[in-house]
Amino acid sequence: MAAQRKQQVILLLLVILLAAEVVSCQLKAGCPGKCGSLSIPYPFGTRQGCYLDESFLITCQDNSTSSIPLLGKSNVSVVDISLQDGKMRIATSVAYDCYNETGFLVSHKYPWFDLPHFSDSSTRNWV
Ligand SMILES: *[C@@H]1O[C@H](CO)[C@@H](O)[C@H](O)[C@H]1NC(C)=O
Ligand SMILES: *[C@@H]1O[C@H](CO)[C@@H](O)[C@H](O)[C@H]1NC(C)=O
Ligand SMILES: *[C@@H]1O[C@H](CO)[C@@H](O)[C@H](O)[C@H]1NC(C)=O
């Protein structure tokens, strides 16, 4: 039997919001302020007219049972947005390598993502 250990832990990352001009945390009229439990303050928004520019798009992936906020058109989910701190927390899967008893790599996952408009927090991400 292959001794596989799979981890489906969530990796949390903090990214710094670099929107210097952003001061308002008000909601634009007619714009959804939430996706699931995530509050979505302007400059973020779920559709055109609601966000400042496309880098602040939150795609709300809904079905009858859940609503998952995703960053832009990615599959990176957004956990928390704090304009006060200038921080956003995002979640993605943890990478893994699984070996069987004789040391052969039997499965792996190397998730990756690209955040061109945000930088990561060097003080609030750690391994
Ligand atoms: C709704 O989406 C969630 C997350 O993507 C998924 O786990 C669940 O099975 C979906 N439910 C339905 C009814 O499609
Ligand atoms: C581990 O995987 C290798 C390659 O698939 C296979 O040859 C070997 O028999 C496996 N070992 C065990 C203990 O399952
Ligand atoms: C997003 O999807 C791509 C393509 O399916 C995949 O390679 C990547 O690992 C996924 N990223 C996350 C964070 O799940």
Side-chain angles (χ1 to χ4, degrees):
M1 287 293 283
Q4 290 195 18
R5 278 192 313 147
K6 282 204 179 178
Q7 290 182 309
Q8 287 299 340
V9 188
I10 294 292
L11 171 69
L12 290 177
L13 284 167
L14 274 160
V15 294
I16 298 173
L17 306 178
L18 282 181
E21 73 263 54
V22 172
V23 282
S24 164
C25 31
Q26 277 159 10
L27 203 56
K28 281 195 134 186
C31 291
K34 285 206 142 200
C35 173
S37 57
L38 178 74
S39 295
I40 304 173
Y42 185 79
F44 291 87
T46 55
R47 56 171 187 255
Q48 205 171 15
C50 291
Y51 51 71
L52 178 67
D53 67 47
E54 269 210 22
S55 53
F56 298 104
L57 169 65
I58 303 288
T59 304
C60 196
Q61 199 177 71
D62 306 276
N63 61 23
S64 50
T65 56
S66 70
S67 297
I68 301 171
L70 301 172
L71 188 61
K73 293 175 174 130
S74 74
N75 50 6
V76 171
S77 65
V78 179
V79 180
D80 181 54
I81 297 172
S82 170
L83 296 185
Q84 287 75 19
D85 294 344
K87 300 274 189 336
M88 169 169 64
R89 280 194 304 145
I90 58 173
T92 183
S93 341
V94 160
Y96 61 79
D97 282 334
C98 294
Y99 298 89
N100 72 7
E101 284 150 2
T102 46
F104 285 87
L105 183 64
V106 290
S107 71
H108 63 88
K109 183 171 187 172
Y110 308 136
W112 61 275
F113 56 86
D114 212 9
L115 297 172
H117 305 288
F118 302 104
S119 62
D120 60 322
S121 166
S122 56
T123 53
R124 295 179 70 185
N125 289 304
W126 46 274
V127 185

